[in-house]
Amino acid sequence: MTSSDPTTLPDPWHSLHELLAAMDAEIEQVYAERGIEGVRPRFAYPLIRLAHTGPLTIRELATSLGRSHSAVSQTVAALRKEGLVTSEPGPDARTRRIGLTERGRSLVPFLEAEWRATHATVAELDSEIPYAMTAVVEEVRRALERRPMRQRILHHLVEPPR
């Protein structure tokens, strides 16, 4: 244990996580106002993709979304729990093919409309603030390409004596 608790200092990530959670909560509220229960904003991307591609394995879906296998596997489990996707045996014993249920398919037109409206909203927000969120995210990504997060952390890391 170190001499002081570093978690008592302000967390630089807190406001970003809080903002993203609040934005997701507002999207969920749009769903609820339309009578769409059990659907979270993170479901839209895989449901829309599956509607356009047809059934995919979790690995194929993860690759097509640019997400980790683990994250997509967790999302698929939640989608299955809500009755939005099916899971059938894949080409071998280790894989499962994920497809839309009738309920999942019926939500896609609304989710596509919400997706477009959300993107228009982000563009609107970008025009209202001095530093566009999308530009800031891109600049952070470029900075991390020049010098990865791991290297930056290691530069500042002072390990306690063993």
Side-chain angles (χ1 to χ4, degrees), residues 112-132:
E112 287 179 336
E114 176 270 314
W115 183 277
R116 290 180 184 100
T118 298
H119 281 233
T121 299
V122 170
E124 180 182 284
L125 285 169
D126 275 355
S127 73
E128 290 181 26
I129 57 179
Y131 306 103

Side-chain angles (χ1 to χ4, degrees), residues 27 31 36 39-56 60-61 64-65 67 72 75-76 79 84-85 98-101 103-119:
I27 294 169
Y31 297 164
I36 300 170
V39 176
R40 295 188 291 236
R42 72 182 175 125
F43 293 177
Y45 199 9
L47 289 173
I48 293 168
R49 183 57 51 86
L50 288 168
H52 288 272
T53 63
L56 296 171
E60 291 167 340
L61 183 58
S64 80
L65 301 175
R67 304 283 192 264
V72 171
T75 298
V76 164
L79 289 164
L84 300 168
V85 298
I98 309 305
L100 294 178
T101 63
R103 178 172 183 243
R105 189 174 283 97
S106 73
L107 294 175
V108 170
F110 174 78
L111 293 175
E112 287 179 336
E114 176 270 314
W115 183 277
R116 290 180 184 100
T118 298
H119 281 233

